[in-house]
Amino acid sequence: MSYKSCTRRFIAALCIFIALNYLVWNIWTERLLTNSDGLGGDLARTGYITGIKQPRRAYTDLPRHHLEFQDYHDQPVDVLTIGDSFSSGMGGGKNGFYQDYIASVNGMTVLNLGMFDQRQGPLSTIVVLLNSGYLDRIKPKAVVLQSVERMAVERLGRITTFDDTRRIEDIKRFYKEHRENPTYLPPVKFINTGNIKFLYYSLIYRFKDSVNGKVIVRKLSKPFFSTKLDSTLVFWHDDIRNLPKQTPEAVNLLNDNLNRMADLLATKGIKLYFMPSVDKYNLYRDYIIDNPYPESRLFETLRTLPKEYTLIDTKAILAKALSKGEKDIYYADDTHWSWKATELIFNEVRF
């Protein structure tokens, strides 16, 4: 084969490669991997599933808004919230922060702080704030400790030290420098590995629940989402992978740790609320057709245990609305709940 013939074939193959990427990008993957048509969810991007995307823009129509650390100037507040991505508005869309519902429904000032140490979890953050003396400056009447259900036992159901502390200056510096952006996505060019993944995943989903071991796709008995795939549930694999950690011993230790924390806060006149955010799988589990996966018992176990704190039972509240056919309690394309969930929760839970 001549050099010119090889060159022509190479150029032809390159043109086909570029054209294929451009086609897949423009029809499907640009919507998944960017916010070109509005903010989308982590599950749609990770699983490369176009039919579940719910484009949305971030805005609020509530009368009161919470404070982030950048807006806080050491004044007393009514409620302090500490948690993970659910507390950081990572679902996006309308009224993405549940703290704004607490502020608006109760007429209170609410300050949100992330976890001081992700490895130690939200309970350790309260310990540090308490022992450092910084909690005495914030002077909240209540503390809401939030954790997604799948991480609750790992974060809270273990031996916990209650004597950790930091300098107030170090705490303030950390919160000043660390702020999550729920709408940020890294830039992606139209030629990218996601185009091939999209084509491959679309084929494999016809035969399997999961392609990459991260996202699971199952059919529901009812249409619970306002999307093209309205009866399709997509959830994070860790929702079921972490279920074996929910042993009675671990849940009892979690409860003991919260009771001890509640007692410590009570000496300051502060009430502790624990809000485990029910996993997407757990909430919709009863509606999965031919469900092969085990059930979660975290909420059911916690309900029976003696408490010095107040449990915000997100599963009971949201399951009641789901039984009435309420759609979009969780975003179809995301691991996070929607504004409907937080409105339902905090219309029922008052401070």
Side-chain angles (χ1 to χ4, degrees):
M1 186 179 296
S2 68
Y3 172 77
K4 287 185 178 180
S5 178
C6 288
T7 302
R8 284 195 298 269
R9 291 192 177 190
F10 173 76
I11 293 174
L14 181 61
C15 289
I16 292 172
F17 173 77
I18 293 173
L20 179 61
N21 273 274
Y22 186 77
L23 182 67
V24 174
W25 172 259
N26 275 277
I27 297 177
W28 294 295
T29 53
E30 183 180 17
R31 296 182 65 247
L32 288 174
L33 303 180
T34 74
N35 293 332
S36 60
D37 64 344
L39 179 69
D42 50 4
L43 292 173
R45 289 193 302 275
T46 306
Y48 291 90
I49 307 169
T50 56
I52 63 168
K53 184 169 180 182
Q54 289 182 286
R56 49 198 180 270
R57 62 182 181 87
Y59 74 96
T60 178
D61 59 5
L62 295 171
R64 296 177 70 107
H65 303 152
H66 76 285
L67 299 172
E68 293 289 329
F69 184 79
Q70 288 73 13
D71 309 310
Y72 178 65
H73 304 290
D74 283 354
Q75 72 272 30
V77 301
D78 296 309
V79 180
L80 172 65
T81 65
I82 297 170
D84 53 35
S85 59
F86 279 75
S87 293
S88 300
M90 294 302 286
K94 174 183 174 180
N95 300 329
F97 287 88
Y98 69 79
Q99 295 89 340
D100 293 342
Y101 281 99
I102 297 176
S104 298
V105 172
N106 298 280
M108 291 179 168
T109 55
V110 182
L111 171 64
N112 177 52
L113 296 178
M115 287 184 276
F116 185 75
D117 187 333
Q118 291 281 345
R119 296 168 301 175
Q120 297 300 319
L123 189 63
S124 175
T125 298
I126 303 177
V127 170
V128 167
L129 294 175
L130 179 66
N131 293 338
S132 67
Y134 196 35
L135 200 62
D136 291 327
R137 295 190 184 182
I138 302 173
K139 296 181 179 178
K141 300 179 181 68
V143 171
V144 176
L145 188 156
Q146 176 273 323
S147 173
V148 67
E149 179 190 349
R150 62 179 167 271
M151 294 297 295
V153 168
E154 183 173 323
R155 289 168 173 164
L156 306 171
R158 59 185 179 180
I159 301 299
T160 300
T161 175
F162 284 82
D163 56 6
D164 193 14
T165 189
R166 298 288 193 281
R167 297 190 311 153
I168 289 179
E169 293 76 12
D170 293 336
I171 296 172
K172 296 177 74 171
R173 184 181 305 110
F174 171 83
Y175 284 116
K176 183 178 180 180
E177 296 174 354
H178 292 76
R179 185 174 186 180
E180 294 185 88
N181 182 354
T183 64
Y184 174 76
L185 288 177
V188 183
K189 296 181 179 180
F190 81 89
I191 296 180
N192 64 85
T193 57
N195 296 331
I196 303 300
K197 287 181 179 180
F198 170 76
L199 295 175
Y200 174 68
Y201 284 25
S202 298
L203 174 64
I204 299 302
Y205 280 132
R206 298 175 181 270
F207 309 101
K208 296 175 62 178
D209 287 357
S210 181
V211 180
N212 56 11
K214 296 179 180 179
V215 170
I216 295 179
V217 182
R218 296 291 300 187
K219 291 294 183 181
L220 295 170
S221 59
K222 295 181 180 180
F224 281 115
F225 303 104
S226 301
T227 59
K228 181 180 178 181
L229 301 178
D230 57 1
S231 299
T232 297
L233 179 70
V234 182
F235 60 93
W236 209 241
H237 193 279
D238 283 353
D239 285 6
I240 57 174
R241 183 183 287 130
N242 288 348
L243 288 179
K245 298 177 182 178
Q246 296 179 0
T247 64
E249 295 78 14
V251 178
N252 271 275
L253 182 54
L254 177 154
N255 190 68
D256 290 343
N257 285 335
L258 290 172
N259 281 337
R260 183 174 177 186
M261 189 75 257
D263 288 340
L264 291 172
L265 291 175
T267 65
K268 303 282 186 179
I270 302 170
K271 178 68 177 178
L272 177 63
Y273 292 78
F274 174 47
M275 184 170 74
S277 300
V278 60
D279 286 338
K280 192 176 186 180
Y281 163 73
N282 190 9
L283 181 62
Y284 291 92
R285 178 186 180 278
D286 290 343
Y287 302 94
I288 296 175
I289 298 173
D290 298 326
N291 183 18
Y293 302 113
E295 65 177 321
S296 166
R297 299 296 299 172
L298 177 66
F299 286 88
E300 289 74 10
T301 304
L302 280 176
R303 289 168 192 159
T304 66
L305 299 177
K307 303 175 191 65
E308 300 300 322
Y309 61 93
T310 296
L311 173 66
I312 300 179
D313 194 333
T314 60
K315 181 177 180 179
I317 296 169
L318 300 182
K320 182 169 59 178
L322 201 64
S323 69
K324 298 176 182 178
E326 187 68 55
K327 290 187 176 183
D328 302 322
I329 293 177
Y330 265 74
Y331 288 117
D333 61 0
D334 209 299
T335 55
H336 300 92
W337 56 32
S338 73
W339 64 272
K340 286 189 176 183
T342 50
E343 184 174 80
L344 287 163
I345 292 166
F346 292 106
N347 277 337
E348 184 163 330
V349 177
R350 299 299 178 92
F351 290 79

